[in-house]
PDB file of all heavy atoms in Angstrom:
ATOM      1  N   PHE A 184     105.084  70.630  86.384  1.00 89.00           N
ATOM      2  CA  PHE A 184     106.053  71.664  86.020  1.00 89.00           C
ATOM      3  C   PHE A 184     106.559  72.462  87.220  1.00 89.00           C
ATOM      4  O   PHE A 184     107.639  73.048  87.168  1.00 89.00           O
ATOM      5  CB  PHE A 184     105.465  72.608  84.963  1.00 89.00           C
ATOM      6  CG  PHE A 184     104.414  73.561  85.471  1.00 89.00           C
ATOM      7  CD1 PHE A 184     104.762  74.849  85.844  1.00 89.00           C
ATOM      8  CD2 PHE A 184     103.092  73.175  85.559  1.00 89.00           C
ATOM      9  CE1 PHE A 184     103.802  75.738  86.309  1.00 89.00           C
ATOM     10  CE2 PHE A 184     102.123  74.056  86.006  1.00 89.00           C
ATOM     11  CZ  PHE A 184     102.474  75.343  86.388  1.00 89.00           C
ATOM     12  N   THR A 248     104.207  73.047  68.932  1.00 95.00           N
ATOM     13  CA  THR A 248     104.933  73.872  69.901  1.00 95.00           C
ATOM     14  C   THR A 248     104.084  74.203  71.125  1.00 95.00           C
ATOM     15  O   THR A 248     104.614  74.362  72.220  1.00 95.00           O
ATOM     16  CB  THR A 248     105.405  75.178  69.248  1.00 95.00           C
ATOM     17  OG1 THR A 248     104.275  75.846  68.654  1.00 95.00           O
ATOM     18  CG2 THR A 248     106.449  74.897  68.180  1.00 95.00           C
ATOM     19  N   MET A 249     102.757  74.288  70.934  1.00 95.00           N
ATOM     20  CA  MET A 249     101.884  74.689  72.040  1.00 95.00           C
ATOM     21  C   MET A 249     101.811  73.624  73.135  1.00 95.00           C
ATOM     22  O   MET A 249     101.889  73.939  74.330  1.00 95.00           O
ATOM     23  CB  MET A 249     100.478  74.997  71.518  1.00 95.00           C
ATOM     24  CG  MET A 249      99.484  75.471  72.583  1.00 95.00           C
ATOM     25  SD  MET A 249      98.670  74.107  73.500  1.00 95.00           S
ATOM     26  CE  MET A 249      97.542  73.494  72.245  1.00 95.00           C
ATOM     27  N   LEU A 250     101.661  72.363  72.759  1.00 95.00           N
ATOM     28  CA  LEU A 250     101.505  71.314  73.769  1.00 95.00           C
ATOM     29  C   LEU A 250     102.743  71.176  74.669  1.00 95.00           C
ATOM     30  O   LEU A 250     102.609  71.139  75.898  1.00 95.00           O
ATOM     31  CB  LEU A 250     101.162  69.978  73.104  1.00 95.00           C
ATOM     32  CG  LEU A 250      99.768  69.884  72.468  1.00 95.00           C
ATOM     33  CD1 LEU A 250      99.591  68.549  71.760  1.00 95.00           C
ATOM     34  CD2 LEU A 250      98.676  70.063  73.518  1.00 95.00           C
ATOM     35  N   PRO A 251     103.951  71.101  74.123  1.00 95.00           N
ATOM     36  CA  PRO A 251     105.129  71.050  75.003  1.00 95.00           C
ATOM     37  C   PRO A 251     105.247  72.282  75.901  1.00 95.00           C
ATOM     38  O   PRO A 251     105.639  72.174  77.064  1.00 95.00           O
ATOM     39  CB  PRO A 251     106.303  70.948  74.032  1.00 95.00           C
ATOM     40  CG  PRO A 251     105.729  70.356  72.792  1.00 95.00           C
ATOM     41  CD  PRO A 251     104.344  70.927  72.707  1.00 95.00           C
ATOM     42  N   ARG A 252     104.923  73.454  75.352  1.00 93.00           N
ATOM     43  CA  ARG A 252     105.054  74.685  76.130  1.00 93.00           C
ATOM     44  C   ARG A 252     103.993  74.779  77.225  1.00 93.00           C
ATOM     45  O   ARG A 252     104.281  75.191  78.351  1.00 93.00           O
ATOM     46  CB  ARG A 252     104.924  75.888  75.184  1.00 93.00           C
ATOM     47  CG  ARG A 252     105.100  77.244  75.874  1.00 93.00           C
ATOM     48  CD  ARG A 252     105.050  78.389  74.880  1.00 93.00           C
ATOM     49  NE  ARG A 252     103.736  78.536  74.269  1.00 93.00           N
ATOM     50  CZ  ARG A 252     103.472  78.285  72.989  1.00 93.00           C
ATOM     51  NH1 ARG A 252     104.432  77.857  72.178  1.00 93.00           N
ATOM     52  NH2 ARG A 252     102.257  78.442  72.504  1.00 93.00           N
ATOM     53  N   THR A 253     102.770  74.353  76.921  1.00 89.00           N
ATOM     54  CA  THR A 253     101.662  74.480  77.866  1.00 89.00           C
ATOM     55  C   THR A 253     101.686  73.389  78.926  1.00 89.00           C
ATOM     56  O   THR A 253     101.411  73.646  80.104  1.00 89.00           O
ATOM     57  CB  THR A 253     100.316  74.437  77.118  1.00 89.00           C
ATOM     58  OG1 THR A 253     100.299  75.478  76.128  1.00 89.00           O
ATOM     59  CG2 THR A 253      99.143  74.633  78.074  1.00 89.00           C
ATOM     60  N   PHE A 254     102.017  72.171  78.519  1.00 90.00           N
ATOM     61  CA  PHE A 254     101.922  71.034  79.436  1.00 90.00           C
ATOM     62  C   PHE A 254     103.288  70.514  79.881  1.00 90.00           C
ATOM     63  O   PHE A 254     103.349  69.505  80.589  1.00 90.00           O
ATOM     64  CB  PHE A 254     101.110  69.910  78.785  1.00 90.00           C
ATOM     65  CG  PHE A 254      99.682  70.311  78.504  1.00 90.00           C
ATOM     66  CD1 PHE A 254      99.299  70.696  77.230  1.00 90.00           C
ATOM     67  CD2 PHE A 254      98.739  70.342  79.514  1.00 90.00           C
ATOM     68  CE1 PHE A 254      97.986  71.072  76.962  1.00 90.00           C
ATOM     69  CE2 PHE A 254      97.436  70.719  79.269  1.00 90.00           C
ATOM     70  CZ  PHE A 254      97.047  71.100  77.985  1.00 90.00           C
ATOM     71  N   PHE A 255     104.374  71.168  79.454  1.00 91.00           N
ATOM     72  CA  PHE A 255     105.716  70.849  79.927  1.00 91.00           C
ATOM     73  C   PHE A 255     106.060  69.379  79.686  1.00 91.00           C
ATOM     74  O   PHE A 255     106.403  68.630  80.601  1.00 91.00           O
ATOM     75  CB  PHE A 255     105.853  71.224  81.411  1.00 91.00           C
ATOM     76  CG  PHE A 255     105.590  72.680  81.678  1.00 91.00           C
ATOM     77  CD1 PHE A 255     104.303  73.128  81.958  1.00 91.00           C
ATOM     78  CD2 PHE A 255     106.618  73.614  81.629  1.00 91.00           C
ATOM     79  CE1 PHE A 255     104.047  74.475  82.191  1.00 91.00           C
ATOM     80  CE2 PHE A 255     106.365  74.954  81.848  1.00 91.00           C
ATOM     81  CZ  PHE A 255     105.076  75.394  82.131  1.00 91.00           C
TER      82      PHE A 255
END
Side-chain angles (χ1 to χ4, degrees):
F184 73 96
T248 54
M249 182 276 287
L250 291 176
R252 182 176 66 249
T253 303
F254 297 100
F255 301 89

